[in-house]
């Protein structure tokens, strides 16, 4: 019986050790739900693989590129049109300046010719004929100059249209 008493005592001490182990495990495991919540990874930002990102960029470029090239073409055509218009307006301004310069210069020379004719023969037919010839000369020189400027303008327009195509 003493042998049994020793076994019972050892069994009791083992049960005590086992109980304390269970208590230690209980205290260690009791915090598991909170720890699992804390350690659970939360995605604040969605991470996308680099390959998918490149594919999306390429798709976006393929979608936008035709629109951008079409708009650039429109802008180019509009700029060419504005350039031609500018050249046309400059030529027109030159023509007008030529007309203004000619009319001012010719009116002065016509006045001088009239004075000369009057001084030579105040009421004579020669003076009238001279004045008519001077006026005709002025008209013809003005017409020649106007046609020359128009020809230059047409040449510029032709060069612009050939350059545009």
């Amino acid at each position: 019986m003493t042998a049994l008493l020793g076994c019972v005592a050892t069994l009791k001490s083992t049960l005590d050790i086992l109980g304390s182990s269970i208590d230690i495990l209980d205290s260690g495991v009791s915090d598991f739900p909170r720890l699992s919540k804390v350690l659970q990874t939360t995605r604040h930002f969605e991470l996308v693989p680099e390959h998918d990102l490149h594919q999306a960029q390429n798709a976006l470029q393929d979608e936008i590129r035709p629109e951008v090239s079409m708009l650039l073409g429109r802008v180019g055509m509009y700029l060419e049109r504005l350039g031609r218009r500018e050249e046309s307006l400059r030529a027109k301004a030159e023509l007008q300046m030529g007309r203004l310069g000619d009319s001012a210069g010719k009116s002065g020379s016509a006045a001088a010719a009239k004075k000369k004719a009057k001084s030579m023969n105040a009421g004579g037919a020669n003076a009238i004929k001279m004045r008519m010839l001077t006026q005709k000369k002025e008209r013809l020189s003005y017409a020649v100059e106007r046609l020359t400027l128009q020809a230059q303008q047409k040449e510029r327009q032709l060069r612009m249209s050939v350059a545009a195509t």
Side-chain angles (χ1 to χ4, degrees):
M1 212 152 245
T2 56
L4 280 179
L5 281 178
C7 280
V8 168
T10 308
L11 187 61
K12 270 189 179 181
S13 74
T14 305
L15 280 175
D16 288 340
I17 291 175
L18 188 59
S20 72
S21 295
I22 289 175
D23 288 340
I24 292 172
L25 278 175
D26 238 3
S27 68
V29 174
S30 68
D31 205 24
F32 265 179
R34 187 187 69 81
L35 282 177
S36 68
K37 190 87 156 171
V38 167
L39 296 176
Q40 183 180 9
T41 57
T42 318
R43 281 188 163 179
H44 295 285
F45 300 102
E46 186 77 23
L47 298 178
V48 178
E50 192 171 336
H51 177 70
D52 292 346
L53 184 64
H54 286 298
Q55 281 182 339
Q57 284 177 340
N58 290 337
L60 187 61
Q61 282 180 352
D62 291 342
E63 186 178 322
I64 291 174
R65 189 171 287 135
E67 293 291 325
V68 169
S69 61
M70 180 190 67
L71 290 174
L72 286 175
R74 272 192 199 169
V75 167
M77 288 183 348
Y78 186 69
L79 287 175
E80 287 175 12
R81 205 176 316 147
L82 285 177
R84 288 193 300 265
R85 179 155 170 78
E86 181 183 8
E87 284 296 320
S88 170
L89 289 174
R90 284 188 186 191
K92 193 174 184 180
E94 287 175 13
L95 183 63
Q96 296 295 335
M97 292 299 289
R99 286 180 182 170
L100 286 175
D102 287 346
S103 66
K106 289 180 182 176
S107 66
S109 65
K114 285 181 187 177
K115 286 181 184 177
K116 251 188 196 179
K118 282 185 182 178
S119 68
M120 289 183 157
N121 191 1
N126 248 354
I128 294 172
K129 189 174 184 181
M130 180 71 142
R131 188 174 44 212
M132 286 176 35
L133 288 174
T134 306
Q135 288 174 348
K136 186 175 182 180
K137 178 184 170 192
E138 288 174 1
R139 282 193 309 266
L140 289 174
S141 64
Y142 171 73
V144 166
E145 191 170 332
R146 183 176 48 85
L147 289 172
T148 305
L149 287 173
Q150 285 178 349
Q152 289 173 352
Q153 183 179 5
K154 296 269 187 207
E155 286 176 8
R156 272 192 225 115
Q157 287 176 347
L158 181 63
R159 280 189 298 235
M160 292 297 287
S161 66
V162 167
T165 56

